[in-house]
Amino acid sequence: MKKNIVLIGFMGCGKTSVGGKLSRAFHCGFLDTDQLLEEEFGCTIREFFGREGEEEFRKRETGLIKRFSGTLENTVLATGGGLPLRAENVEILKEIGVVFWLKASEEMTVARLCEDTSRPLLAQGNLAEKVHRLLGERMPVYQAAADHIIETDGKSFYEIIKEIETVMRCCGNA
Ligand code: S3P
């Protein structure tokens, strides 16, 4: 792979699952910012949010991806859903690789997250209302950050991966 692949998108859109499968298809490495941060923190993201707050978490996300800029090669990087909220982070992600937004509808997102207890931003209140508000705020952010948009609703992992492969080949990046 000539350029790294960066996956962005809302919580529950499948960045970690697609990223892992994509890395096997491309025979390349796979990293996930949430997993790396949990290792660094020595606790879950939910615990870290509770102890240090969201602002500190965002700082740590930026610190992590800064380390990848200019050093990461042959890797699929899955990112936390809020990472592109900082303009600075978007610049860094674009330096790291080709940015794909895994886009999922509000309905699909709610259906995927309804059993989830790991995401601090969705922990309290009505899930559908929260997803509606956050997605509304974030759609333009993902849109602006993405080099390519992959609509994921109704598609299998296989179809999503094929689409990303096709884009990478067409752009001469595979
Ligand atoms: C967040 C998304 C989560 C995680 C944290 C905050 C967000 O990652 O980074 O809970 O602000 O959207 P996933 O998108 O992998 O769930």
Side-chain angles (χ1 to χ4, degrees):
M1 213 158 63
K2 292 197 185 119
K3 283 196 179 173
N4 300 304
I5 293 176
V6 178
L7 302 177
I8 63 165
F10 199 76
M11 293 170 266
C13 72
K15 295 167 301 235
T16 303
S17 308
V18 169
K21 291 178 199 308
L22 204 51
S23 73
R24 285 193 283 280
F26 274 104
H27 305 288
C28 68
F30 172 61
L31 291 174
D32 179 307
T33 59
D34 285 339
Q35 281 170 7
L36 292 168
L37 287 173
E38 286 192 334
E39 280 166 27
E40 207 172 284
F41 301 157
C43 67
T44 65
I45 286 173
R46 190 173 179 169
E47 285 162 348
F48 188 86
F49 259 70
R51 237 180 22 223
E52 309 281 341
E54 180 173 354
E55 192 46 37
E56 186 57 30
F57 177 75
R58 299 294 173 211
K59 279 189 199 150
R60 301 289 288 267
E61 280 187 318
T62 302
L64 178 71
I65 59 167
K66 269 187 180 164
R67 283 180 249 148
F68 293 146
S69 179
T71 59
L72 207 64
E73 278 178 9
N74 210 29
T75 299
V76 176
L77 178 69
T79 60
L83 200 140
L85 293 174
R86 283 186 161 198
E88 177 190 6
N89 292 355
V90 173
E91 295 301 312
I92 300 169
L93 293 180
K94 284 180 180 291
E95 280 163 24
I96 292 174
V98 186
V99 180
F100 288 87
W101 171 20
L102 301 186
K103 189 176 178 188
S105 68
E106 200 172 309
E107 297 70 37
M108 195 57 81
T109 302
V110 173
R112 286 193 192 140
L113 293 171
C114 65
E115 301 292 330
D116 185 83
T117 55
S118 66
R119 278 124 170 150
L121 293 181
L122 305 174
Q124 276 141 27
N126 181 288
L127 176 67
E129 279 170 17
K130 283 211 167 159
V131 169
H132 179 75
R133 184 177 55 78
L134 284 174
L135 252 185
E137 287 168 13
R138 291 178 178 192
M139 288 279 222
V141 173
Y142 296 138
Q143 177 94 43
D147 295 312
H148 304 282
I149 301 172
I150 307 290
E151 301 276 354
T152 61
D153 278 17
K155 289 185 189 155
S156 65
F157 282 130
Y158 179 79
E159 288 169 311
I160 295 169
I161 285 157
K162 279 284 149 213
E163 249 180 72
I164 296 176
E165 271 183 343
T166 304
V167 172
M168 289 296 280
R169 292 221 158 84
C170 288
C171 305
N173 287 321

